[in-house]
Amino acid sequence: MTTRIRGVLAPVLTPFNRRLEPDVNRFIAHCRWLIDNQVSLAIFGTNSEAASLSVNERLSMTDALLSAGIPAARMMPGTGGCSLADSVILTKHAVENGALGALMLPPFYFKGVSDEGLYAYYSEVIERVGSDRLKVYLYHIPQLTQVPITLNLIETLRKRYPDTVVGAKDSSGDWPNTKAMIDNFAKDGFDVFPASESTLSKALPLGAAGCISATVNMNPGGIHALYQGCNSAQGETLQANADVIRKIFQAVPMIPAMKRVVAEFSADPGWQVVRPPLVGLDDSTAQGVLTALRDAQFTMPGYPGR
């Protein structure tokens, strides 16, 4: 039986150099720091600026991680997108290299598509990859895609591919929807990952598998401690501490804010670079974030610097 990935995962930030090319050395160092802090890697998620990366860039960056000794068993690459052919290439590469899951956005350019059309997309990817090792995690983020992963779609895919469609990330920010996913499917082995650590204390007792959260990039140790100890005597304190950091970042544009903070803690200004159409955080907002983090006694212990 194939091991399933559970616990806390970071949608890993993608560093760029001044030519707006992926900076592989920074990427490897960041991933290694996350692994050392006991979390796993949802490379090429939303906060990775994945929609701004080409297929070749994603493949070469994955290969670089593997060559650097980052274990494939700690990866859940994002492989979904608008192009069926591209999704097949990315998903097949993930499976062939030992990743334990593929996090798959729906095709999001066309709006108002039916569950029937989304079923056809996911089914085509699964059939063309053609591996019993493939584990698909559906990615529900309707505020960006405007193409929801409905409970009906999950049920239909699970009936046809119960051993392949094994989980979902719910980035809707809608707790009733997350709870409905857990209530309807977790008992049958479907792993639901909320997208915010702020829901861990109520999601884990219901059967959630963990969380895939942007701020794991910044606070992996604190969020892993919360995952491990949310039902302990320290649970309320761990949740409150994680919530403080989460609220600081989600009050501002999160990707440029996280990159600005990494630049500060690594003493590496190059980390601030985002790929257009995103823009970097302005100095005033950045100083507000850094002040709030200092007030919260935030640190990134052991982070590699230049």
Side-chain angles (χ1 to χ4, degrees):
M1 182 178 177
T2 303
T3 302
R4 297 265 280 273
I5 195 165
R6 299 178 70 84
V8 176
L9 292 89
V12 181
L13 295 171
T14 301
F16 298 102
N17 62 28
R18 285 179 292 179
R19 296 182 300 278
L20 301 179
E21 300 161 340
D23 189 309
V24 173
N25 290 332
R26 286 187 180 104
F27 185 58
I28 291 169
H30 187 61
C31 287
R32 186 169 284 131
W33 180 74
L34 291 169
I35 291 284
D36 288 347
N37 279 275
Q38 310 304 312
V39 302
S40 296
L41 311 174
I43 55 175
F44 315 132
T46 299
N47 289 279
S48 313
E49 299 172 71
S52 299
L53 294 169
S54 72
V55 169
N56 286 339
E57 286 172 330
R58 296 196 210 187
L59 296 178
S60 64
M61 291 169 72
T62 304
D63 290 341
L65 288 182
L66 296 169
S67 295
I70 304 296
R74 299 290 292 278
M75 297 184 199
M76 184 192 290
T79 67
C82 291
S83 164
L84 176 64
D86 288 352
S87 296
V88 171
I89 290 168
L90 291 167
T91 305
K92 185 173 291 188
H93 184 268
V95 173
E96 290 175 348
N97 283 282
L100 290 189
L103 182 60
M104 294 194 64
L105 282 168
F108 52 82
Y109 181 80
F110 295 105
K111 314 306 181 188
V113 297
S114 65
D115 281 355
E116 180 183 7
L118 296 178
Y119 175 89
Y121 165 81
Y122 284 111
S123 178
E124 283 292 333
V125 174
I126 292 166
E127 296 293 342
R128 293 185 190 198
V129 171
S131 173
D132 59 8
R133 291 179 291 137
L134 173 59
K135 304 300 175 189
V136 169
Y137 294 81
L138 307 170
Y139 189 179
H140 178 61
I141 184 167
Q143 65 271 36
L144 291 184
T145 64
Q146 298 181 42
V147 180
I149 303 295
T150 66
L151 299 180
N152 175 69
L153 177 62
I154 296 171
E155 182 177 5
T156 306
L157 285 166
R158 289 280 292 166
K159 284 180 179 177
R160 178 66 181 86
Y161 302 106
D163 299 322
T164 300
V165 180
V166 297
K169 177 186 179 184
D170 185 3
S171 291
S172 66
D174 178 7
W175 168 247
N177 187 76
T178 304
K179 184 176 185 298
M181 282 188 179
I182 297 169
D183 290 345
N184 280 276
F185 303 112
K187 63 182 179 297
D188 297 321
F190 188 78
D191 294 335
V192 178
F193 291 86
S196 172
E197 63 273 22
S198 296
T199 64
L200 271 178
S201 291
K202 53 186 178 182
L204 288 174
L206 297 178
C211 72
I212 305 173
S213 168
T215 36
V216 177
N217 280 287
M218 318 308 303
N219 188 27
I223 298 172
H224 176 70
L226 171 59
Y227 171 75
Q228 293 282 78
C230 74
N231 292 320
S232 70
Q234 293 77 40
E236 287 189 15
T237 299
L238 292 169
Q239 183 69 76
N241 291 343
D243 288 350
V244 168
I245 306 305
R246 174 80 191 189
K247 288 175 182 176
I248 291 169
F249 282 102
Q250 69 182 23
V252 294
M254 288 187 76
I255 296 170
M258 290 188 291
K259 286 189 159 184
R260 179 65 182 81
V261 171
V262 174
E264 181 76 14
F265 279 84
S266 64
D268 179 5
W271 255 108
Q272 298 182 60
V273 179
V274 293
R275 187 176 263 187
L278 299 185
V279 296
L281 211 62
D282 66 86
D283 288 342
S284 175
T285 302
Q287 289 308 312
V289 170
L290 292 168
T291 298
L293 290 172
R294 282 193 291 270
D295 291 344
Q297 300 182 314
F298 171 80
T299 61
M300 295 177 69
Y303 197 86
R306 286 287 170 102

